[in-house]
Amino acid sequence: MTSADPRVRRPAFTKLAIAGGHPVRTRPWPTYEKGDVFISPEDEAAASSAIRARRYSRYDDRPFEQTWARRLERSLCETFGVRHALACASGTTALALGLLALDLPPGSPVACPAFTFPATPSAIMLAGHRPVLVECDADLHLDVGHLSEVLDRGAKAAVVVHMRGYASDMPTVMHLARTHDVRVVEDAVPALGARLGGRYLGTFADFGAFSTQSDKSLNTGEGGFLLTDDAEAYARALVYSGAYEGRMHRHFPGDVPAVDDLAYPIYGFRMDEIRAALAGAMLGRLPQRLAAHRRNHDYVVTELASQEGIALRRPVADGAYLGEALMFRLPDATPTECARFARALTAEGIDARALGDPADANVRAFWQWRFLFGPDQEQARALLPRAARYVGEAIDIPLSANLTVADCDDLVTAVAKVSAAFRRR
Ligand SMILES: Cc1ncc(COP(=O)(O)O)c(C=O)c1O
């Protein structure tokens, strides 16, 4: 990817749009357009065909292997190189099913990162357990040293998140988990298709949970899936998802694990045929979409590599990210300063958010999670001071797969312009 016109770059000393100057761009930033990304006639044809078949649930009298949901699961197994896949209602339900299938005692402490979307601790609660938050490092990755302490203190399982598409250090996490004899669920919701060392995220742990909600790499509006190599745990997840009265058996053409399908509650977390058809059609185009994310992200990051005043988020390994977000910190800036920076970028025509903006109830700021911590945000921040600091310094910019070179140039120019203005203060 080459710049549209390098000479138009870095109008560093022009007046900021927020102060009445000309914005870098006036066209809206293509955030994720709530789904209108990489949609094609093939998707419409697949969904219409599922509708025309007049069979909207997979568990009926058709041969099971012909159902859209089963075909999707087969394709997911092939794509990700795993034994079992379960198409389900959402990323949250996929996570909860993975946790339920671990068969932990009710109310178990389960580790999860402080820097995540609230669906992660919510899924732990949905599975009947207690989230124990783990610090992050300066690159907003899970702090494995702190995870080790949380496991030493008795956490019975861990959920690891690849937040905003950046991989967590899975080899280290899995080593730690095995030495503590705990099982791990990967929340790969934000990283569908990203890899670490050539291996897909979501295939390192005992379970990988994904979403197909409209902002994700596969867009069925809502939806999700769960991956695992563990046949017995898969059978339990199936039962919990609503595969009752022997339906669970249809997922095992060979030996069926000895799992009693009335020994567990049934939650009805299934995916319907229409969404499964849509996801299956999109899966074929996933490589193109991933390439677009990667191209946009790498272009912007290369251009901003020597930008003063910002600390770009560094991946745990080369290429270990999806590329659907640009994240950087403003080291030592207060949340209010970061909020001003993000608003200045937004005024330049780039959708940016300061994760710790005190005036923005951003759900990714853990201290806002009253469902876990109650109303005292300072007390919550004091429990996880490093995560509070680093999340508070973070600026987050969505990188749609539809971005053009000109959009990426605008982003680079706007960040350079706003950074220069903030440095002059
Ligand atoms: C990290 C993470 N986990 C889980 C979820 C939940 O996915 P869903 O909305 O499909 O339930 C999200 C949603 O964006 C997320 O960002």
Side-chain angles (χ1 to χ4, degrees):
M1 192 185 213
T2 51
S3 165
D5 182 356
R7 289 162 304 161
V8 299
R9 283 295 172 69
R10 307 181 195 281
F13 298 103
T14 56
K15 194 171 177 185
L16 288 181
I18 202 167
H22 285 297
V24 169
R25 61 187 274 135
T26 49
R27 279 170 301 129
W29 185 247
T31 293
Y32 297 118
E33 298 113 340
K34 280 294 155 208
D36 188 12
V37 180
F38 264 73
I39 289 176
S40 102
E42 294 158 39
D43 310 336
E44 290 170 29
S48 305
S49 144
I51 290 170
R52 278 197 303 273
R54 304 172 80 95
R55 306 290 191 90
Y56 299 162
S57 163
R58 66 153 73 172
Y59 296 121
D60 58 24
D61 55 359
R62 285 171 293 170
F64 192 57
E65 295 299 325
Q66 285 174 18
T67 63
W68 291 97
R70 187 58 180 164
R71 280 151 61 187
L72 172 64
E73 290 171 351
R74 289 269 183 226
S75 305
L76 290 169
C77 288
E78 208 172 293
T79 302
F80 287 91
V82 295
R83 291 212 181 93
H84 306 288
L86 169 55
C88 53
S90 65
T92 309
T93 55
L95 279 169
L97 287 170
L99 286 159
L100 286 161
L102 296 183
D103 243 358
L104 302 172
S108 293
V110 174
C112 80
F115 178 45
T116 186
F117 189 79
T120 316
S122 304
I124 295 171
M125 294 162 83
L126 190 57
H129 304 306
R130 182 165 61 80
V132 182
L133 300 195
V134 179
E135 289 274 25
C136 66
D137 66 18
D139 287 307
L140 296 151
H141 303 309
L142 182 76
D143 179 336
V144 275
H146 189 225
L147 175 64
S148 177
E149 286 171 35
V150 168
L151 296 178
D152 284 342
R153 289 206 302 269
K156 298 280 182 270
V159 181
V160 180
V161 185
H162 307 301
M163 192 52 178
R164 303 301 279 139
Y166 288 78
S168 293
D169 180 357
M170 288 313 297
T172 308
V173 168
M174 291 314 294
H175 176 73
L176 203 57
R178 296 307 180 224
T179 54
H180 284 80
D181 198 21
V182 303
R183 309 247 273 159
V184 180
V185 176
E186 256 178 291
D187 180 341
V189 166
L192 198 172
R195 298 174 197 232
L196 168 60
R199 183 166 167 183
Y200 279 112
L201 296 174
T203 66
F204 286 83
D206 301 286
F207 278 103
F210 297 79
S211 170
T212 59
Q213 183 269 343
S214 63
D215 295 338
K216 311 300 184 293
S217 315
L218 294 176
N219 162 20
T220 63
E222 308 291 348
F225 58 93
L226 186 67
L227 304 180
T228 187
D229 283 331
D230 180 335
E232 200 180 307
Y234 176 59
R236 279 194 294 272
L238 282 164
V239 172
Y240 276 113
S241 80
Y244 52 87
E245 292 181 349
R247 289 169 168 82
M248 177 266 282
H249 292 226
R250 302 187 196 183
H251 293 255
F252 295 94
D255 293 344
V256 182
V259 166
D260 171 1
D261 70 2
L262 275 174
Y264 304 95
I266 288 167
Y267 293 127
F269 288 165
R270 298 169 298 256
M271 182 184 272
D272 59 272
E273 287 287 89
I274 302 163
R275 277 184 290 175
L278 203 46
M282 288 183 164
L283 191 57
R285 295 196 318 286
L286 183 61
Q288 286 105 291
R289 181 169 178 154
L290 296 173
H293 278 303
R294 178 56 60 101
R295 188 189 60 220
N296 295 337
H297 176 274
D298 290 0
Y299 177 79
V300 170
V301 163
T302 305
E303 291 292 317
L304 290 174
S306 53
Q307 178 61 52
E308 278 179 69
I310 66 168
L312 287 170
R313 189 176 183 194
R314 293 167 302 183
V316 294
D318 280 350
Y321 48 85
L322 181 68
E324 59 126 29
L326 174 72
M327 292 199 72
F328 54 84
R329 285 188 306 108
L330 305 178
D332 300 320
T334 64
T336 305
E337 287 167 333
C338 294
R340 261 195 258 126
F341 191 104
R343 281 198 207 107
L345 273 177
T346 304
E348 299 297 340
I350 307 295
D351 245 345
R353 280 175 98 180
L355 295 185
D357 182 347
D360 176 4
N362 193 319
V363 296
R364 291 155 200 84
F366 69 85
W367 54 91
Q368 308 254 22
W369 298 346
R370 290 185 289 285
F371 67 91
L372 264 191
F373 295 109
D376 191 338
Q377 296 193 1
E378 278 318 307
Q379 201 176 37
R381 291 166 60 88
L383 291 173
L384 296 140
R386 293 194 294 287
R389 174 185 165 191
Y390 297 133
V391 174
E393 293 175 351
I395 306 288
D396 182 60
I397 300 169
L399 299 178
S400 165
N402 285 355
L403 292 187
T404 62
V405 181
D407 292 326
C408 294
D409 279 334
D410 287 344
L411 168 54
V412 172
T413 303
V415 172
K417 182 179 173 187
V418 173
S419 304
F422 271 69
R423 280 202 314 282
R424 287 201 302 277
R425 291 192 166 175

